[in-house]
């Protein structure tokens, strides 16, 4: 097993602490000192690794996106049909790793902050393009391109909407229910196509 240096471990601890702090607070209104305390390091060390809080927030968003991308690649490699690809995209977005309260709260906070931060807005655009592309990778094997595009947009909107509702504690209580709702939409949409 390769050894991991202290710097990557501390950086990861700070990112995890950021997600935890944002999740608990429900906003990005957390201090570097609070995050450092959660990570078990000094504020000075947190500033050394990330500079300003904005840089730590960007690193946290990048980390969340990287985890999602890694999970998505793994799931898509296992899919053997276009329909399985679409279901894999849905399932990954609501996996135990992704659909946990702290991560959901972090996503909502990042969406809000993206209204003011062009860097966060760019990262969220990357996420949206990847989600659309991943959905299209399956849907274009089932539907004509224009219909696949509409179905991908609607599916992505459902995924994002279920995250928002869950973050506001006014939505589906668990991942299985969220997946079932999205899959019901997809089955209806794809069933309509087969009836035409």
């Amino acid at each position: 097993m390769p050894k991991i240096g202290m710097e990557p471990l501390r950086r990861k601890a700070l990112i995890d602490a950021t997600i935890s702090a944002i999740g608990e607070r429900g906003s990005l209104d957390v201090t570097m000192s609070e995050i450092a305390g959660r990570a078990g390091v000094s504020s000075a060390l947190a500033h050394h690794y990330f500079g300003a809080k904005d840089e730590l927030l960007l690193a946290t968003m990048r980390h969340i996106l990287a985890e999602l991308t890694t999970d998505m690649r793994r799931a898509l490699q296992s899919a053997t049909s276009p329909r399985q690809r679409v279901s894999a995209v849905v399932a990954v977005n609501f996996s135990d790793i992704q659909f946990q309260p702290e991560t959901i709260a972090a996503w909502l906070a990042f969406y809000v902050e993206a209204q003011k931060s062009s860097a966060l807005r760019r990262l969220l655009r990357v996420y949206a393009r990847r989600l659309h592309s991943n959905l299209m990778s399956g849907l274009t094997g089932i539907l004509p391109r224009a219909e696949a595009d509409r179905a991908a947009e609607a599916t992505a909107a459902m995924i994002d909407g279920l995250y928002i509702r869950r973050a506001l504690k006014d939505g589906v209580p668990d991942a299985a229910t969220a997946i079932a709702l999205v899959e019901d939409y997809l089955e209806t949409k794809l069933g309509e196509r087969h009836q035409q």
Side-chain angles (χ1 to χ4, degrees), residues 105-163:
W107 273 105
L108 185 61
F110 284 126
Y111 267 104
V112 170
E113 188 65 20
Q115 305 307 305
K116 299 179 278 186
S117 166
S118 59
L120 282 176
R121 193 164 40 252
R122 276 192 302 277
L123 286 176
L124 288 171
R125 283 191 189 124
V126 167
Y127 154 74
R129 282 194 303 270
R130 282 184 191 160
L131 177 57
H132 186 81
S133 174
N134 287 328
L135 288 165
M136 289 293 283
S137 77
L139 288 168
T140 54
I142 305 168
L143 298 170
R145 185 150 194 91
E147 285 183 50
D149 192 54
R150 282 193 302 277
E153 282 297 317
T155 303
M158 287 186 74
I159 290 168
D160 289 344
L162 288 164
Y163 263 75

